[in-house]
Amino acid sequence: MKIWDESHYHFEMRAYYKQMKDLVFLNKSLENQFPFYNWQELLLGGGKGRGHGMEIILHKNKGRLKGNANYAFSRHFRQFETLNNGKWHPYKYNREHVINATAQFQLNNRWDLGLFWTLSSGARFNLPNGYVNENPFTRHYYTYQGINNATLPAYHRLDISANWQKELKNGHGLSFSFNVYNAYARKNPGYIFVGSVVDEYDENGNELTRRNVLKAKSYMPVIPSVNISYKF
């Protein structure tokens, strides 16, 4: 719904509620050393889903400085009769809060500068709440209370760009772009896993005590790139 509109700016607000049925879930906990053998047995069907959310958007369309900013809130859940004791659980890829901002500034008829910044809640993951040691009856394993019961740390990054373009006499065009992805080198965790650290060794270097800790794996650091294009 468009609420406010002028020649340079306009403001929008949207809201939704939806229900889903006949969803499918890939139960990776049932995988063996041959994950593609009888893969259909890993699928759970007949799932249900529900979600609701809203979005607020502000655009600036004219002038040397153009851009937009938006905020989105959403919550999504899934339910399968044979999963999580039939209880509803958060959807893995749902990020409850998301803020995006883009801006483009026209320096002159050839150069412009751009930026994109995003901030969002972390994705969901399964956090163990216990550990069972290996024994004569079973191998060691972790225990969990619920599905997707925790969230990764907040995700944010800044991308910047500088662009140059020129129209040549023969009607062709030449353009140059320099981009920096994740300009301030934010180490956004891609996933979290359970690792271990040794707290104490004896005089011979043998382990005395070891404990489990959560470790995060990050990827995609600062990535610069250059693009050159020629239009015929």
Side-chain angles (χ1 to χ4, degrees), residues 102-134:
T102 63
Q104 183 179 28
F105 183 73
Q106 195 73 38
L107 292 175
N108 51 46
N109 61 348
R110 292 186 179 177
W111 282 97
D112 68 79
L113 304 176
L115 66 83
F116 169 77
W117 184 74
T118 184
L119 168 67
S120 66
S121 305
R124 289 277 180 169
F125 75 101
N126 296 317
L127 178 66
N129 68 336
Y131 177 78
V132 177
N133 288 317
E134 185 171 355

PDB file of all heavy atoms in Angstrom, residues 102-134:
ATOM      1  N   THR A 102      20.295   1.442   0.262  1.00  0.00           N
ATOM      2  CA  THR A 102      21.119   1.653  -0.926  1.00  0.00           C
ATOM      3  C   THR A 102      21.149   3.139  -1.247  1.00  0.00           C
ATOM      4  O   THR A 102      20.188   3.873  -0.965  1.00  0.00           O
ATOM      5  CB  THR A 102      20.573   0.887  -2.147  1.00  0.00           C
ATOM      6  OG1 THR A 102      19.269   1.383  -2.465  1.00  0.00           O
ATOM      7  CG2 THR A 102      20.502  -0.596  -1.866  1.00  0.00           C
ATOM      8  N   ALA A 103      22.247   3.587  -1.837  1.00  0.00           N
ATOM      9  CA  ALA A 103      22.380   4.986  -2.229  1.00  0.00           C
ATOM     10  C   ALA A 103      23.275   5.073  -3.451  1.00  0.00           C
ATOM     11  O   ALA A 103      24.225   4.293  -3.599  1.00  0.00           O
ATOM     12  CB  ALA A 103      22.952   5.821  -1.093  1.00  0.00           C
ATOM     13  N   GLN A 104      22.962   6.023  -4.329  1.00  0.00           N
ATOM     14  CA  GLN A 104      23.776   6.283  -5.511  1.00  0.00           C
ATOM     15  C   GLN A 104      23.905   7.789  -5.672  1.00  0.00           C
ATOM     16  O   GLN A 104      22.901   8.507  -5.726  1.00  0.00           O
ATOM     17  CB  GLN A 104      23.152   5.674  -6.764  1.00  0.00           C
ATOM     18  CG  GLN A 104      23.996   5.841  -8.021  1.00  0.00           C
ATOM     19  CD  GLN A 104      23.348   5.203  -9.236  1.00  0.00           C
ATOM     20  OE1 GLN A 104      22.134   5.101  -9.312  1.00  0.00           O
ATOM     21  NE2 GLN A 104      24.166   4.768 -10.185  1.00  0.00           N
ATOM     22  N   PHE A 105      25.139   8.255  -5.743  1.00  0.00           N
ATOM     23  CA  PHE A 105      25.405   9.696  -5.860  1.00  0.00           C
ATOM     24  C   PHE A 105      26.082   9.972  -7.198  1.00  0.00           C
ATOM     25  O   PHE A 105      27.134   9.402  -7.503  1.00  0.00           O
ATOM     26  CB  PHE A 105      26.284  10.183  -4.719  1.00  0.00           C
ATOM     27  CG  PHE A 105      26.527  11.660  -4.732  1.00  0.00           C
ATOM     28  CD1 PHE A 105      25.517  12.541  -4.383  1.00  0.00           C
ATOM     29  CD2 PHE A 105      27.763  12.176  -5.100  1.00  0.00           C
ATOM     30  CE1 PHE A 105      25.734  13.910  -4.400  1.00  0.00           C
ATOM     31  CE2 PHE A 105      27.988  13.533  -5.121  1.00  0.00           C
ATOM     32  CZ  PHE A 105      26.967  14.407  -4.776  1.00  0.00           C
ATOM     33  N   GLN A 106      25.491  10.857  -7.985  1.00  0.00           N
ATOM     34  CA  GLN A 106      26.010  11.205  -9.306  1.00  0.00           C
ATOM     35  C   GLN A 106      27.005  12.349  -9.164  1.00  0.00           C
ATOM     36  O   GLN A 106      26.630  13.488  -8.888  1.00  0.00           O
ATOM     37  CB  GLN A 106      24.864  11.609 -10.231  1.00  0.00           C
ATOM     38  CG  GLN A 106      25.231  11.636 -11.697  1.00  0.00           C
ATOM     39  CD  GLN A 106      25.387  10.245 -12.293  1.00  0.00           C
ATOM     40  OE1 GLN A 106      24.637   9.345 -11.949  1.00  0.00           O
ATOM     41  NE2 GLN A 106      26.362  10.076 -13.173  1.00  0.00           N
ATOM     42  N   LEU A 107      28.292  12.045  -9.333  1.00  0.00           N
ATOM     43  CA  LEU A 107      29.311  13.088  -9.210  1.00  0.00           C
ATOM     44  C   LEU A 107      29.276  14.038 -10.411  1.00  0.00           C
ATOM     45  O   LEU A 107      29.335  15.256 -10.258  1.00  0.00           O
ATOM     46  CB  LEU A 107      30.696  12.452  -9.085  1.00  0.00           C
ATOM     47  CG  LEU A 107      30.976  11.669  -7.793  1.00  0.00           C
ATOM     48  CD1 LEU A 107      32.334  10.998  -7.877  1.00  0.00           C
ATOM     49  CD2 LEU A 107      30.933  12.597  -6.582  1.00  0.00           C
ATOM     50  N   ASN A 108      29.200  13.476 -11.590  1.00  0.00           N
ATOM     51  CA  ASN A 108      29.094  14.253 -12.826  1.00  0.00           C
ATOM     52  C   ASN A 108      28.482  13.342 -13.883  1.00  0.00           C
ATOM     53  O   ASN A 108      27.935  12.292 -13.553  1.00  0.00           O
ATOM     54  CB  ASN A 108      30.462  14.812 -13.250  1.00  0.00           C
ATOM     55  CG  ASN A 108      31.552  13.744 -13.283  1.00  0.00           C
ATOM     56  OD1 ASN A 108      31.348  12.653 -13.821  1.00  0.00           O
ATOM     57  ND2 ASN A 108      32.695  14.025 -12.666  1.00  0.00           N
ATOM     58  N   ASN A 109      28.588  13.731 -15.162  1.00  0.00           N
ATOM     59  CA  ASN A 109      27.938  12.932 -16.192  1.00  0.00           C
ATOM     60  C   ASN A 109      28.677  11.633 -16.506  1.00  0.00           C
ATOM     61  O   ASN A 109      28.213  10.841 -17.338  1.00  0.00           O
ATOM     62  CB  ASN A 109      27.757  13.759 -17.470  1.00  0.00           C
ATOM     63  CG  ASN A 109      29.090  14.230 -18.044  1.00  0.00           C
ATOM     64  OD1 ASN A 109      30.122  14.135 -17.383  1.00  0.00           O
ATOM     65  ND2 ASN A 109      29.061  14.741 -19.258  1.00  0.00           N
ATOM     66  N   ARG A 110      29.813  11.398 -15.855  1.00  0.00           N
ATOM     67  CA  ARG A 110      30.566  10.159 -16.097  1.00  0.00           C
ATOM     68  C   ARG A 110      30.749   9.309 -14.845  1.00  0.00           C
ATOM     69  O   ARG A 110      30.799   8.088 -14.924  1.00  0.00           O
ATOM     70  CB  ARG A 110      31.939  10.487 -16.701  1.00  0.00           C
ATOM     71  CG  ARG A 110      31.862  11.056 -18.105  1.00  0.00           C
ATOM     72  CD  ARG A 110      33.243  11.228 -18.714  1.00  0.00           C
ATOM     73  NE  ARG A 110      33.157  11.760 -20.073  1.00  0.00           N
ATOM     74  CZ  ARG A 110      34.198  12.058 -20.825  1.00  0.00           C
ATOM     75  NH1 ARG A 110      35.443  11.874 -20.353  1.00  0.00           N
ATOM     76  NH2 ARG A 110      34.027  12.528 -22.046  1.00  0.00           N
ATOM     77  N   TRP A 111      30.875   9.929 -13.697  1.00  0.00           N
ATOM     78  CA  TRP A 111      31.178   9.196 -12.475  1.00  0.00           C
ATOM     79  C   TRP A 111      29.964   9.163 -11.535  1.00  0.00           C
ATOM     80  O   TRP A 111      29.251  10.155 -11.392  1.00  0.00           O
ATOM     81  CB  TRP A 111      32.348   9.839 -11.722  1.00  0.00           C
ATOM     82  CG  TRP A 111      33.695   9.524 -12.278  1.00  0.00           C
ATOM     83  CD1 TRP A 111      34.435  10.283 -13.134  1.00  0.00           C
ATOM     84  CD2 TRP A 111      34.465   8.348 -12.007  1.00  0.00           C
ATOM     85  NE1 TRP A 111      35.625   9.666 -13.417  1.00  0.00           N
ATOM     86  CE2 TRP A 111      35.683   8.475 -12.743  1.00  0.00           C
ATOM     87  CE3 TRP A 111      34.271   7.218 -11.231  1.00  0.00           C
ATOM     88  CZ2 TRP A 111      36.674   7.505 -12.710  1.00  0.00           C
ATOM     89  CZ3 TRP A 111      35.260   6.241 -11.196  1.00  0.00           C
ATOM     90  CH2 TRP A 111      36.445   6.391 -11.930  1.00  0.00           C
ATOM     91  N   ASP A 112      29.767   8.014 -10.889  1.00  0.00           N
ATOM     92  CA  ASP A 112      28.807   7.920  -9.795  1.00  0.00           C
ATOM     93  C   ASP A 112      29.344   6.956  -8.747  1.00  0.00           C
ATOM     94  O   ASP A 112      30.145   6.059  -9.040  1.00  0.00           O
ATOM     95  CB  ASP A 112      27.428   7.466 -10.289  1.00  0.00           C
ATOM     96  CG  ASP A 112      27.414   6.027 -10.779  1.00  0.00           C
ATOM     97  OD1 ASP A 112      27.370   5.112  -9.936  1.00  0.00           O
ATOM     98  OD2 ASP A 112      27.452   5.819 -12.011  1.00  0.00           O
ATOM     99  N   LEU A 113      28.928   7.171  -7.526  1.00  0.00           N
ATOM    100  CA  LEU A 113      29.324   6.337  -6.389  1.00  0.00           C
ATOM    101  C   LEU A 113      28.091   5.622  -5.843  1.00  0.00           C
ATOM    102  O   LEU A 113      26.996   6.195  -5.826  1.00  0.00           O
ATOM    103  CB  LEU A 113      29.961   7.183  -5.286  1.00  0.00           C
ATOM    104  CG  LEU A 113      31.171   8.038  -5.676  1.00  0.00           C
ATOM    105  CD1 LEU A 113      31.607   8.889  -4.492  1.00  0.00           C
ATOM    106  CD2 LEU A 113      32.315   7.161  -6.153  1.00  0.00           C
ATOM    107  N   GLY A 114      28.271   4.384  -5.384  1.00  0.00           N
ATOM    108  CA  GLY A 114      27.156   3.631  -4.840  1.00  0.00           C
ATOM    109  C   GLY A 114      27.525   2.889  -3.576  1.00  0.00           C
ATOM    110  O   GLY A 114      28.703   2.594  -3.327  1.00  0.00           O
ATOM    111  N   LEU A 115      26.517   2.622  -2.752  1.00  0.00           N
ATOM    112  CA  LEU A 115      26.731   1.802  -1.556  1.00  0.00           C
ATOM    113  C   LEU A 115      25.482   0.994  -1.268  1.00  0.00           C
ATOM    114  O   LEU A 115      24.366   1.370  -1.622  1.00  0.00           O
ATOM    115  CB  LEU A 115      27.140   2.651  -0.347  1.00  0.00           C
ATOM    116  CG  LEU A 115      26.155   3.654   0.259  1.00  0.00           C
ATOM    117  CD1 LEU A 115      25.170   3.001   1.227  1.00  0.00           C
ATOM    118  CD2 LEU A 115      26.920   4.733   1.016  1.00  0.00           C
ATOM    119  N   PHE A 116      25.718  -0.140  -0.627  1.00  0.00           N
ATOM    120  CA  PHE A 116      24.639  -1.006  -0.171  1.00  0.00           C
ATOM    121  C   PHE A 116      25.009  -1.499   1.214  1.00  0.00           C
ATOM    122  O   PHE A 116      26.121  -2.012   1.429  1.00  0.00           O
ATOM    123  CB  PHE A 116      24.440  -2.192  -1.114  1.00  0.00           C
ATOM    124  CG  PHE A 116      23.533  -3.254  -0.560  1.00  0.00           C
ATOM    125  CD1 PHE A 116      22.162  -3.079  -0.546  1.00  0.00           C
ATOM    126  CD2 PHE A 116      24.056  -4.425  -0.036  1.00  0.00           C
ATOM    127  CE1 PHE A 116      21.325  -4.049  -0.014  1.00  0.00           C
ATOM    128  CE2 PHE A 116      23.231  -5.413   0.483  1.00  0.00           C
ATOM    129  CZ  PHE A 116      21.854  -5.222   0.500  1.00  0.00           C
ATOM    130  N   TRP A 117      24.091  -1.335   2.178  1.00  0.00           N
ATOM    131  CA  TRP A 117      24.333  -1.814   3.547  1.00  0.00           C
ATOM    132  C   TRP A 117      23.142  -2.665   3.974  1.00  0.00           C
ATOM    133  O   TRP A 117      21.984  -2.328   3.698  1.00  0.00           O
ATOM    134  CB  TRP A 117      24.496  -0.648   4.509  1.00  0.00           C
ATOM    135  CG  TRP A 117      24.835  -1.085   5.917  1.00  0.00           C
ATOM    136  CD1 TRP A 117      26.028  -1.566   6.371  1.00  0.00           C
ATOM    137  CD2 TRP A 117      23.951  -1.078   7.042  1.00  0.00           C
ATOM    138  NE1 TRP A 117      25.952  -1.868   7.715  1.00  0.00           N
ATOM    139  CE2 TRP A 117      24.684  -1.574   8.152  1.00  0.00           C
ATOM    140  CE3 TRP A 117      22.630  -0.702   7.222  1.00  0.00           C
ATOM    141  CZ2 TRP A 117      24.131  -1.700   9.410  1.00  0.00           C
ATOM    142  CZ3 TRP A 117      22.059  -0.833   8.488  1.00  0.00           C
ATOM    143  CH2 TRP A 117      22.819  -1.324   9.562  1.00  0.00           C
ATOM    144  N   THR A 118      23.434  -3.770   4.628  1.00  0.00           N
ATOM    145  CA  THR A 118      22.379  -4.660   5.099  1.00  0.00           C
ATOM    146  C   THR A 118      22.658  -5.116   6.528  1.00  0.00           C
ATOM    147  O   THR A 118      23.821  -5.307   6.922  1.00  0.00           O
ATOM    148  CB  THR A 118      22.232  -5.885   4.167  1.00  0.00           C
ATOM    149  OG1 THR A 118      21.137  -6.687   4.610  1.00  0.00           O
ATOM    150  CG2 THR A 118      23.494  -6.729   4.144  1.00  0.00           C
ATOM    151  N   LEU A 119      21.599  -5.271   7.290  1.00  0.00           N
ATOM    152  CA  LEU A 119      21.656  -5.777   8.659  1.00  0.00           C
ATOM    153  C   LEU A 119      20.464  -6.697   8.848  1.00  0.00           C
ATOM    154  O   LEU A 119      19.337  -6.330   8.524  1.00  0.00           O
ATOM    155  CB  LEU A 119      21.603  -4.621   9.665  1.00  0.00           C
ATOM    156  CG  LEU A 119      21.359  -4.993  11.136  1.00  0.00           C
ATOM    157  CD1 LEU A 119      22.542  -5.774  11.704  1.00  0.00           C
ATOM    158  CD2 LEU A 119      21.100  -3.741  11.970  1.00  0.00           C
ATOM    159  N   SER A 120      20.719  -7.898   9.355  1.00  0.00           N
ATOM    160  CA  SER A 120      19.611  -8.827   9.554  1.00  0.00           C
ATOM    161  C   SER A 120      19.879  -9.743  10.732  1.00  0.00           C
ATOM    162  O   SER A 120      21.031  -9.941  11.147  1.00  0.00           O
ATOM    163  CB  SER A 120      19.376  -9.671   8.292  1.00  0.00           C
ATOM    164  OG  SER A 120      20.472 -10.531   8.055  1.00  0.00           O
ATOM    165  N   SER A 121      18.789 -10.290  11.256  1.00  0.00           N
ATOM    166  CA  SER A 121      18.918 -11.315  12.289  1.00  0.00           C
ATOM    167  C   SER A 121      19.637 -12.524  11.703  1.00  0.00           C
ATOM    168  O   SER A 121      19.583 -12.778  10.499  1.00  0.00           O
ATOM    169  CB  SER A 121      17.533 -11.741  12.785  1.00  0.00           C
ATOM    170  OG  SER A 121      16.782 -10.645  13.238  1.00  0.00           O
ATOM    171  N   GLY A 122      20.311 -13.263  12.559  1.00  0.00           N
ATOM    172  CA  GLY A 122      21.003 -14.458  12.092  1.00  0.00           C
ATOM    173  C   GLY A 122      20.037 -15.569  11.723  1.00  0.00           C
ATOM    174  O   GLY A 122      18.892 -15.615  12.200  1.00  0.00           O
ATOM    175  N   ALA A 123      20.492 -16.471  10.862  1.00  0.00           N
ATOM    176  CA  ALA A 123      19.673 -17.621  10.467  1.00  0.00           C
ATOM    177  C   ALA A 123      19.545 -18.600  11.636  1.00  0.00           C
ATOM    178  O   ALA A 123      20.345 -18.597  12.579  1.00  0.00           O
ATOM    179  CB  ALA A 123      20.289 -18.315   9.258  1.00  0.00           C
ATOM    180  N   ARG A 124      18.559 -19.442  11.567  1.00  0.00           N
ATOM    181  CA  ARG A 124      18.319 -20.437  12.607  1.00  0.00           C
ATOM    182  C   ARG A 124      19.254 -21.636  12.454  1.00  0.00           C
ATOM    183  O   ARG A 124      19.672 -21.983  11.351  1.00  0.00           O
ATOM    184  CB  ARG A 124      16.873 -20.916  12.536  1.00  0.00           C
ATOM    185  CG  ARG A 124      15.857 -19.882  12.989  1.00  0.00           C
ATOM    186  CD  ARG A 124      15.735 -19.904  14.483  1.00  0.00           C
ATOM    187  NE  ARG A 124      14.767 -18.939  14.977  1.00  0.00           N
ATOM    188  CZ  ARG A 124      14.331 -18.916  16.228  1.00  0.00           C
ATOM    189  NH1 ARG A 124      14.762 -19.822  17.102  1.00  0.00           N
ATOM    190  NH2 ARG A 124      13.486 -18.001  16.633  1.00  0.00           N
ATOM    191  N   PHE A 125      19.570 -22.285  13.584  1.00  0.00           N
ATOM    192  CA  PHE A 125      20.343 -23.528  13.553  1.00  0.00           C
ATOM    193  C   PHE A 125      20.003 -24.357  14.781  1.00  0.00           C
ATOM    194  O   PHE A 125      19.351 -23.878  15.717  1.00  0.00           O
ATOM    195  CB  PHE A 125      21.849 -23.241  13.467  1.00  0.00           C
ATOM    196  CG  PHE A 125      22.470 -22.756  14.754  1.00  0.00           C
ATOM    197  CD1 PHE A 125      23.192 -23.620  15.566  1.00  0.00           C
ATOM    198  CD2 PHE A 125      22.344 -21.426  15.151  1.00  0.00           C
ATOM    199  CE1 PHE A 125      23.770 -23.182  16.745  1.00  0.00           C
ATOM    200  CE2 PHE A 125      22.922 -20.973  16.323  1.00  0.00           C
ATOM    201  CZ  PHE A 125      23.642 -21.855  17.125  1.00  0.00           C
ATOM    202  N   ASN A 126      20.439 -25.613  14.775  1.00  0.00           N
ATOM    203  CA  ASN A 126      20.154 -26.528  15.878  1.00  0.00           C
ATOM    204  C   ASN A 126      21.288 -26.479  16.898  1.00  0.00           C
ATOM    205  O   ASN A 126      22.421 -26.854  16.597  1.00  0.00           O
ATOM    206  CB  ASN A 126      19.995 -27.961  15.358  1.00  0.00           C
ATOM    207  CG  ASN A 126      18.800 -28.104  14.428  1.00  0.00           C
ATOM    208  OD1 ASN A 126      17.735 -27.569  14.689  1.00  0.00           O
ATOM    209  ND2 ASN A 126      18.988 -28.827  13.338  1.00  0.00           N
ATOM    210  N   LEU A 127      20.977 -26.031  18.099  1.00  0.00           N
ATOM    211  CA  LEU A 127      21.969 -25.930  19.175  1.00  0.00           C
ATOM    212  C   LEU A 127      21.796 -27.106  20.129  1.00  0.00           C
ATOM    213  O   LEU A 127      20.725 -27.285  20.716  1.00  0.00           O
ATOM    214  CB  LEU A 127      21.784 -24.618  19.935  1.00  0.00           C
ATOM    215  CG  LEU A 127      22.726 -24.391  21.122  1.00  0.00           C
ATOM    216  CD1 LEU A 127      24.168 -24.239  20.639  1.00  0.00           C
ATOM    217  CD2 LEU A 127      22.301 -23.167  21.922  1.00  0.00           C
ATOM    218  N   PRO A 128      22.836 -27.944  20.288  1.00  0.00           N
ATOM    219  CA  PRO A 128      22.706 -29.080  21.218  1.00  0.00           C
ATOM    220  C   PRO A 128      22.590 -28.605  22.662  1.00  0.00           C
ATOM    221  O   PRO A 128      23.157 -27.580  23.036  1.00  0.00           O
ATOM    222  CB  PRO A 128      23.995 -29.874  21.009  1.00  0.00           C
ATOM    223  CG  PRO A 128      24.804 -29.157  20.005  1.00  0.00           C
ATOM    224  CD  PRO A 128      24.123 -27.909  19.617  1.00  0.00           C
ATOM    225  N   ASN A 129      21.856 -29.355  23.457  1.00  0.00           N
ATOM    226  CA  ASN A 129      21.747 -29.026  24.882  1.00  0.00           C
ATOM    227  C   ASN A 129      22.330 -30.126  25.768  1.00  0.00           C
ATOM    228  O   ASN A 129      22.250 -30.050  26.982  1.00  0.00           O
ATOM    229  CB  ASN A 129      20.282 -28.782  25.257  1.00  0.00           C
ATOM    230  CG  ASN A 129      19.442 -30.048  25.186  1.00  0.00           C
ATOM    231  OD1 ASN A 129      19.801 -30.980  24.469  1.00  0.00           O
ATOM    232  ND2 ASN A 129      18.330 -30.085  25.914  1.00  0.00           N
ATOM    233  N   GLY A 130      22.924 -31.167  25.144  1.00  0.00           N
ATOM    234  CA  GLY A 130      23.521 -32.231  25.932  1.00  0.00           C
ATOM    235  C   GLY A 130      24.393 -33.130  25.067  1.00  0.00           C
ATOM    236  O   GLY A 130      24.383 -33.035  23.832  1.00  0.00           O
ATOM    237  N   TYR A 131      25.154 -33.974  25.737  1.00  0.00           N
ATOM    238  CA  TYR A 131      26.082 -34.870  25.032  1.00  0.00           C
ATOM    239  C   TYR A 131      26.110 -36.207  25.755  1.00  0.00           C
ATOM    240  O   TYR A 131      26.182 -36.260  26.995  1.00  0.00           O
ATOM    241  CB  TYR A 131      27.484 -34.253  25.017  1.00  0.00           C
ATOM    242  CG  TYR A 131      28.538 -35.118  24.372  1.00  0.00           C
ATOM    243  CD1 TYR A 131      28.647 -35.216  22.995  1.00  0.00           C
ATOM    244  CD2 TYR A 131      29.444 -35.843  25.159  1.00  0.00           C
ATOM    245  CE1 TYR A 131      29.629 -35.999  22.397  1.00  0.00           C
ATOM    246  CE2 TYR A 131      30.425 -36.633  24.577  1.00  0.00           C
ATOM    247  CZ  TYR A 131      30.515 -36.703  23.189  1.00  0.00           C
ATOM    248  OH  TYR A 131      31.473 -37.487  22.607  1.00  0.00           O
ATOM    249  N   VAL A 132      26.021 -37.288  24.988  1.00  0.00           N
ATOM    250  CA  VAL A 132      26.061 -38.637  25.556  1.00  0.00           C
ATOM    251  C   VAL A 132      27.351 -39.309  25.103  1.00  0.00           C
ATOM    252  O   VAL A 132      27.627 -39.409  23.895  1.00  0.00           O
ATOM    253  CB  VAL A 132      24.842 -39.470  25.091  1.00  0.00           C
ATOM    254  CG1 VAL A 132      24.938 -40.895  25.618  1.00  0.00           C
ATOM    255  CG2 VAL A 132      23.547 -38.815  25.551  1.00  0.00           C
ATOM    256  N   ASN A 133      28.154 -39.737  26.060  1.00  0.00           N
ATOM    257  CA  ASN A 133      29.424 -40.382  25.747  1.00  0.00           C
ATOM    258  C   ASN A 133      29.199 -41.752  25.105  1.00  0.00           C
ATOM    259  O   ASN A 133      28.171 -42.405  25.297  1.00  0.00           O
ATOM    260  CB  ASN A 133      30.252 -40.554  27.023  1.00  0.00           C
ATOM    261  CG  ASN A 133      30.803 -39.240  27.535  1.00  0.00           C
ATOM    262  OD1 ASN A 133      31.288 -38.415  26.763  1.00  0.00           O
ATOM    263  ND2 ASN A 133      30.728 -39.034  28.844  1.00  0.00           N
ATOM    264  N   GLU A 134      30.202 -42.158  24.350  1.00  0.00           N
ATOM    265  CA  GLU A 134      30.160 -43.488  23.749  1.00  0.00           C
ATOM    266  C   GLU A 134      30.167 -44.543  24.842  1.00  0.00           C
ATOM    267  O   GLU A 134      30.864 -44.408  25.853  1.00  0.00           O
ATOM    268  CB  GLU A 134      31.346 -43.665  22.807  1.00  0.00           C
ATOM    269  CG  GLU A 134      31.334 -44.963  22.034  1.00  0.00           C
ATOM    270  CD  GLU A 134      32.403 -45.006  20.955  1.00  0.00           C
ATOM    271  OE1 GLU A 134      33.087 -43.988  20.748  1.00  0.00           O
ATOM    272  OE2 GLU A 134      32.556 -46.068  20.328  1.00  0.00           O
TER     273      GLU A 134
END
